[in-house]
């Protein structure tokens, strides 16, 4: 594969059971690049790749195109009425941005996975799994922190790139689900991207048939990557 002036090697994994849709097989394109740079990764991100730790991948599944790369053009984003209510409901939350991974981040991650994703491949959580999942030695990441009454209640791991931000993973206090903290953190990432004059916030993959992965179309307008390139999606389907 050629990315502007740099060539990278791409491998294809064996098929394995899909993590998101039952009775389907998953297969990944994987970048074999030991000396990745953030500029190259941003180019790959625009081509539909993502990172998990230091691994860069893109779904290439047999007979399935359910995973749709999705991003928000930040300057055009307008919160919906529901999202404005989410912002108002969480007016008492303090926002901080850190670049240091701390023990309290993992403790929150452990509670979140154990309560919300005990039926998925990330359970049971371990410190090694967490560090391998969100950490990356060639990527500058920010940890957008939510605090309520002095207590950490949410973290959004966000990659900082030249022209965009990329939402890697968010987790929050499971007992506060009524606050819609997942949505609140995406709204805060949009705000952060706008304050940094970034063009896009990448949200990963929209998967319409998975109830835990089909919410990203709510942040409009958005763009979906198709065979014809990134296409604007300004209205509900």
């Amino acid at each position: 594969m050629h990315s502007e002036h740099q060539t990278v090697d791409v491998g294809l994994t064996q098929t394995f059971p899909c993590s998101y849709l039952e009775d389907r097989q998953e297969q990944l394109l994987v970048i074999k690049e030991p000396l990745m740079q953030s500029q190259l990764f941003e180019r790959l991100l625009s081509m539909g790749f993502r990172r998990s730790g230091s691994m860069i991948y893109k779904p290439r599944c047999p007979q399935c195109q359910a995973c749709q790369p999705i991003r928000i053009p930040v300057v055009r984003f307008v919160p919906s009425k529901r999202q404005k209510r989410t912002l108002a409901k969480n007016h008492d939350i303090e926002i901080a941005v850190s670049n240091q991974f701390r023990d309290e981040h993992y403790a929150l991650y452990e509670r979140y996975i154990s309560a919300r994703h005990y039926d998925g491949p990330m359970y049971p959580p371990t410190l090694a799994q967490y560090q391998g999942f969100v950490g990356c030695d060639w990527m500058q990441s920010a940890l957008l922190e939510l605090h309520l009454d002095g207590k950490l209640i949410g973290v959004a791991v966000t990659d900082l790139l030249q022209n965009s931000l990329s939402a890697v993973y968010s987790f929050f206090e499971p007992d506060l689900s009524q606050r819609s903290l997942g949505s609140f953190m995406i709204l805060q990432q949009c705000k952060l991207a706008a304050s940094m004059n970034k063009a896009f916030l990448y949200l990963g993959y929209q998967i319409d048939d998975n109830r835990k992965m089909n919410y990203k179309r709510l942040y409009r307008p958005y763009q979906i990557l198709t065979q014809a390139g990134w296409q604007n999606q300004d209205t509900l389907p």
Side-chain angles (χ1 to χ4, degrees), residues 48-63:
F49 284 84
R50 296 286 289 170
R51 79 165 181 89
S52 176
S54 296
M55 184 185 79
I56 302 169
Y57 69 94
K58 179 181 180 180
R60 181 76 175 271
C61 303
Q63 302 177 335

Side-chain angles (χ1 to χ4, degrees), residues 178-226:
Q178 74 281 2
R179 281 182 172 264
S180 304
L181 293 178
S183 174
F184 182 69
M185 283 189 280
I186 292 178
L187 296 171
Q188 293 301 319
Q189 287 172 310
C190 285
K191 183 178 179 180
L192 178 62
S195 72
M196 300 176 71
N197 296 316
K198 305 298 185 183
F200 302 106
L201 172 64
Y202 286 87
L203 294 180
Y205 301 114
Q206 163 73 18
I207 306 175
D208 291 340
D209 293 333
N210 182 297
R211 65 179 183 83
K212 293 183 179 180
M213 298 288 289
N214 64 4
Y215 60 89
K216 298 171 186 178
R217 291 185 186 271
L218 299 175
Y219 301 88
R220 309 201 324 264
Y222 59 87
Q223 297 177 346
I224 293 288
L225 182 59
T226 71

Side-chain angles (χ1 to χ4, degrees), residues 23-110:
D23 303 322
R24 298 199 194 183
Q25 291 292 300
E26 185 175 355
Q27 194 170 28
L28 301 176
L29 286 175
V30 179
I31 300 294
K32 301 177 180 179
E33 178 53 62
L35 299 175
M36 181 58 61
Q37 298 177 344
S38 61
Q39 295 91 336
L40 175 58
F41 175 66
E42 185 167 26
R43 175 64 177 157
L44 293 167
L45 195 64
S46 74
M47 298 167 63
F49 284 84
R50 296 286 289 170
R51 79 165 181 89
S52 176
S54 296
M55 184 185 79
I56 302 169
Y57 69 94
K58 179 181 180 180
R60 181 76 175 271
C61 303
Q63 302 177 335
C64 181
Q65 290 82 43
C67 294
Q68 300 175 292
I70 185 170
R71 70 185 185 185
I72 300 172
V74 175
V75 72
R76 297 179 58 217
F77 173 69
V78 178
S80 66
K81 291 182 179 178
R82 178 179 179 180
Q83 289 160 357
K84 289 179 181 178
R85 289 195 295 270
T86 296
L87 290 170
K89 180 166 54 178
N90 292 295
H91 72 278
D92 53 346
I93 289 178
E94 295 182 0
I95 310 296
V97 178
S98 170
N99 61 2
Q100 297 292 327
F101 288 93
R102 299 194 301 274
D103 291 344
E104 64 175 333
H105 295 153
Y106 173 69
L108 179 59
Y109 171 86
E110 187 176 45

